[in-house]
Amino acid sequence: MSGHGTPLRIGVLGAARITPLALVKPARANPEVVVAAVAARDVSRARAFAAKHGIDRVHEDYETLIADPDLDAVYNPLPNGLHGRWTRAALAAGKHVLCEKPFTANAAEAREIAGLTADSGRVVMEAFHYRYHPLTLRAEQIIASGELGEIERVETAMCFPLPRFSDIRYDYALAGGALMDAGCYAVHMARTLGGPAPEVVSAQAKLRDLRVDRAMTAELRFAAGHTGRIVCSMWSSRLLRISARVVGDRGEMRLLNPVLPNLVHRLAVRSPGGRRTERFPRRASYAYQLDAFAAAARRGVPVPTTPEDAVENMTVIDAIYRAAGLPLRQPS
């Protein structure tokens, strides 16, 4: 663990568009964290990124950053197919890792990383930031309280428009596809709200090409007997839909925008006690996530988005691809 009195010093792999929102901005308000270094495939991009965001150190390449003895942790927002490779390298160098979703290219690679993490004594956390926001914690509390009765159905959706088909998120060689980039959220939300290890009953894909999905729908069945459905897309008639619905035999809960609740959100409950809407702080879910990562790395505080949790999520994703007749994603 990092020393309790010194900030967690994080190095960033790449100059990804998500990094300012997911790490740089929340780190400025978090005294336990410093974004201390960056590296990119093109060192000029890394220098420009560092200058723009006030990062002191620029490394020539990923390997040099990971080997930097002054860094405690690595943030890995690289393309999906590269997540496993560079998380593996960071662990070998003794670094904690905050890895963007999806954790790896497939479940087999996730199991490998989980095993390496268990042997390392380091913290590896998948960046499902929504999971750390009070809205999600409250939704779990409502389900656990029994207010909705026995759960019968869980439906989740993560749809956003990405019509630029040259984007790396459509690239099979980089483990792309709508289920990977949008659907990993829908699957994770279904598991968070519905329970562990759902069985995939069926799945239907809308294709960008023979191997890459631009949209996916899947029917699920949970061990307790209730059913579920996930819907995701990067290009379909459902241009924008980020939601979750939990139906019980005594009531229903609906979540609007649980992924980025700081922008707009709603938690609505209908139960024998009546109807109500609950609101939550506008603080970004990424800030709560960084709090949790720092607490885990510095003080050993447990987190829910562990490598073991990622193995289960990737297992469901693999099963959906199989049910839809598409090949599994592979490491790049």
Side-chain angles (χ1 to χ4, degrees):
M1 302 298 162
S2 301
H4 290 196
T6 58
L8 187 74
R9 295 177 58 82
I10 302 179
V12 178
L13 297 177
R17 289 188 296 269
I18 188 63
T19 302
L21 187 66
L23 180 64
V24 175
K25 185 176 179 180
R28 290 191 186 119
N30 190 323
E32 292 197 307
V33 173
V34 173
V35 181
V38 62
R41 288 174 300 170
D42 178 350
V43 73
S44 64
R45 283 192 69 212
R47 291 192 184 108
F49 188 90
K52 181 176 181 179
H53 298 291
I55 299 171
D56 289 340
R57 188 175 302 183
V58 174
H59 284 292
E60 295 290 321
D61 50 42
Y62 300 155
E63 291 91 348
T64 309
L65 181 142
I66 284 171
D68 186 340
D70 291 334
L71 297 179
D72 306 301
V74 168
Y75 174 56
N76 181 356
L78 297 173
N80 303 338
L82 297 173
H83 285 174
R85 179 197 304 183
W86 292 105
T87 295
R88 191 182 300 115
L91 278 172
K95 303 294 193 283
H96 305 290
V97 183
L98 177 60
C99 182
E100 271 302 333
K101 35 55 59 184
F103 191 64
T104 50
N106 55 44
E109 190 179 33
R111 282 191 291 272
E112 178 197 351
I113 299 300
L116 294 173
T117 303
D119 294 337
S120 72
R122 301 292 91 184
V123 171
V124 176
M125 184 169 135
E126 188 174 15
F128 277 118
H129 52 99
Y130 87 94
R131 187 67 178 76
Y132 297 89
H133 195 276
L135 183 151
T136 300
L137 303 181
R138 176 61 178 147
E140 290 182 285
Q141 186 181 55
I142 289 167
I143 293 168
S145 75
E147 180 180 359
L148 306 179
E150 291 294 320
I151 301 304
E152 297 177 340
R153 179 84 168 162
V154 175
E155 297 174 347
T156 61
M158 181 67 175
C159 304
F160 57 81
L162 186 63
R164 191 174 70 251
F165 296 122
S166 60
D167 191 283
I168 61 170
R169 285 171 280 186
Y170 287 108
D171 189 342
Y172 181 79
L174 293 172
L179 179 61
M180 293 291 281
D181 277 274
C184 67
Y185 276 111
V187 170
H188 201 272
M189 286 190 290
R191 293 175 45 248
T192 297
L193 301 174
E199 173 194 353
V200 177
V201 177
S202 63
Q204 295 81 38
K206 294 180 180 178
L207 299 181
R208 166 60 190 155
D209 62 37
L210 290 176
R211 297 181 296 179
V212 175
D213 49 311
R214 58 181 176 84
M216 185 76 77
T217 302
E219 289 290 328
L220 309 175
R221 183 182 295 113
F222 293 85
H226 55 282
T227 62
R229 186 183 198 225
I230 71 105
V231 175
C232 64
S233 73
M234 298 192 298
W235 189 243
S236 75
S237 58
R238 297 184 184 92
L239 283 180
L240 184 61
R241 183 177 168 196
I242 304 173
S243 63
R245 176 174 175 251
V246 181
V247 179
D249 62 4
R250 298 179 69 241
E252 179 178 317
M253 177 174 63
R254 290 176 179 262
L255 308 181
L256 172 67
N257 196 19
V259 173
L260 289 170
N262 58 302
L263 300 180
V264 62
H265 71 265
R266 186 171 68 250
L267 185 157
V269 176
R270 174 185 55 77
S271 72
R275 296 174 180 265
R276 71 178 185 279
T277 299
E278 299 186 18
R279 303 283 181 179
F280 300 89
R282 299 302 289 266
R283 187 175 187 242
S285 49
Y286 292 112
Y288 291 103
Q289 174 178 264
L290 191 58
D291 290 350
F293 182 62
R298 298 176 86 236
R299 296 184 294 281
V301 178
V303 297
T305 59
T306 60
E308 292 75 21
D309 179 71
V311 169
E312 186 176 304
N313 215 58
M314 294 309 305
T315 298
V316 177
I317 288 171
D318 283 3
I320 293 173
Y321 273 127
R322 289 190 184 100
L326 292 178
L328 302 189
R329 313 298 92 166
Q330 299 299 327
S332 302

